[in-house]
Amino acid sequence: MQNGEDLRAKAKEALAKKGTYGKDFELDRYDAAPRDLSPVDDLSEIPDDVQKSMVNVGILPSGEGRSGSMLFMDNTVVHSSTRKVDGLEMLSTRQALAKYNGLKEYSWRLVSPDKDKYTARSFLEDADGYFIRVKAGAKVEMPVQTCMLIGSDKKAQEVHNIIVVEEGASLDILTGCSTGKHADESLHLGMSEIYIKDGGKLTFSMIHSWGKKTGVRPRTAIQMGANAQFVNNYVLLRPVDSIQSYPVAYVNGENSSVKFNSICVSHPGSEIDMGSMAVLNAPGTGAEIVSRSITMGGKMIARGRLVGNAPRVKAHLECRSLIMKEQGITLAIPELEASVPDVEMTHEAAVGKIAREQVEYLMARGLSEDDAVGMIVRGFLEGGIKGLPDALKQEIDEAMSSANLGN
Amino acid sequence: MLKIEDLHVEVEGREVLRGINLEIGPGQTCVLFGPNGSGKSTLLATIMGFGQFKVTQGRIFFQGKDITNMPIDERARMGIGMLLQRPPNVVGLKLGDLVKAASCQDVDVSHLAEDFRMKAFLDRDVNVGFSGGELKRSELLQLTAQNPRFLLLDEPESGVDMESIDLVGEKIHDLLYDTKQCGREKENESVSALIITHTGEVLKYIGADCAYIIRDGKIRCSGRPMDLLKEIKDKGYGECIACRMVKI
Ligand SMILES: Nc1ncnc2c1ncn2[C@@H]1O[C@H](COP(=O)(O)OP(=O)(O)O)[C@@H](O)[C@H]1O
Ligand SMILES: [Mg+2]
């Protein structure tokens, strides 16, 4: 194992290392956002406009129907609370590092500090975030909600999250990410390391809603044991400057399965580069990547990569994209890689425009053209994905009704 | 109610309708016969306003208003409703949501669907994997929710199995005559229809006032529905007197 000083030196060097994909952000232009905001005991006491931002990304300030809530504002954990739920532990990452002697098994083990300048910066800034652990056998029924808000303009939010779902445990996490009204031109760097042990189950659902000038660089990796399940739902429907994300799941135990679902809308001026990767290292494992996107005039890149390294692997990748406006650009890049013969891996990709015949059919039922297009697009975005949480469906409905799709 | 004057229509650059004249009064039901490819569906789709069908000459009036260039949804809101011969699949859109969106007022969708034996289909994607009979029932369910004043029915009975034919027939009957449907309190607001049929099966369930035979994009004969149907059944379209006269 490398010692801390080695890692720091490498990370410092990596500060100059551009990301593999997506446009480059000059980190010097963004100071770290404040780490010392005042804590809030009750989420319903925070200002109305902040509450509204939270609600817009599926976070309920009342905490109703949630097992726990955490609000991470700029670079401060301003609120963290859990109900009395057996086996659920939620701390800030720094608290957890202090309490568990640096969390050596988990911290910066899946995401390397020197991967690129964004991981390096987060590592060197000693980024805080949430540590959520579910103890072996515990089934947490109601989801945990976590909210990442940027409230300061021209600042960088650096987040380091660690999630551990132990043997036979299960958990749902709802994450909402957003920027405040005056914090448009900011940078979000989100490191997430997710561990799902044998028989563990995690559903991780995210709604992103950034500002028109916000840069977003998440770095997420998932490690899975045997008979484990992971579902990742990702929804991004509002304008953003540039987001580039390529989470990777290492499926290391037999009969585990991973599912990545993403739903994106690229608005004029937005660059969305969304990928998902599953590396299937154990026999009998499976992966499914489903991507639905539309471009309203922005750039949309949908990547998907499936790697089969063990027998009896079954995996499918499906990218579909609609181009709604002339200036939109869509690029679908599905990749399959296999290193053993006994695998079943398939992909399909389709790019096209909305079918006029469908629009007219709905108009013949009395729907206006805008309503008809909205219903069809909503169906297109949600249709291929089973079991999408209600909060995500709601966001899709709202975003579609305000997106002015018809013209 | 509906008046068509010298209608010429092009599909994919080819003239399919070549001078149609037709008039259907309030409360009148007319049937349209004709061999495959003669332009029957094209006529109905043009009245509905589907974009593929380009009117190159002539006019369509509905309730005295020139609707030749009116958008589809406005025609629908004026009260025109169509059962499509081959409705498209809409992946991701649930039938229940479409029925709700098409409803003229707050209808109990699941209750209504039960009447059409379509309740189990409300959560399915519109038309995806529906059988012939299911497609027609789904179309009729949507139309009933929509409650049009003028029905365009394109082969409502074809592909329907023996088991469903009574249901389909009854629902068409209700669409035409049931005064209890939403917004139909006023009895004088009778419904008109233009119905394409090959077999005439639908005529067992409703009365029709007039019939036309269309061939090569023109109306060749008109008469009483049962007379024309008998003539077609006995002699085929080729032997139909008026059509033969045109050919000579
Ligand atoms: N969407 C279309 N594209 C190309 N040709 C079409 C289309 N719809 C109809 N046609 C052509 O127009 C003619 C009339 O078709 P249609 O109105 O469907 O006939 P019918 O309903 O009487 O069987 C046929 O030759 C058919 O091939
Ligand atoms: Mg036809």
Side-chain angles (χ1 to χ4, degrees), chain A residues 51-83:
Chain A
Q51 284 200 35
K52 210 168 149 230
S53 303
M54 295 168 67
V55 171
N56 284 344
V57 289
I59 303 296
L60 303 178
S62 66
E64 209 183 309
R66 307 288 194 245
S67 290
S69 300
M70 180 175 280
L71 173 61
F72 191 76
M73 185 114 156
D74 288 334
N75 283 321
T76 315
V77 175
V78 296
H79 175 89
S80 175
S81 63
T82 54
R83 288 173 198 269

Side-chain angles (χ1 to χ4, degrees), chain A residues 320 356-369 375-376 378-380 382-384, chain B residues 50-51 72-73 76-77 82 84 87-89 91-93 97-98 101-102 127 139 142-143 146:
Chain A
R320 292 204 191 141
R356 189 67 204 162
E357 194 192 11
Q358 295 180 355
V359 178
E360 293 193 343
Y361 180 53
L362 268 53
M363 288 172 74
R365 297 286 176 250
L367 277 76
S368 71
E369 180 157 3
M375 275 187 109
I376 292 163
R378 202 156 62 215
F380 166 81
E382 287 176 11
Chain B
F50 290 121
I72 304 167
D73 53 329
R77 283 195 290 271
M82 178 164 176
L84 279 75
N89 290 351
V91 174
L93 177 60
D97 291 337
L98 177 54
N127 300 332
E139 289 286 286
Q142 294 171 44
L143 274 182
Q146 192 182 348

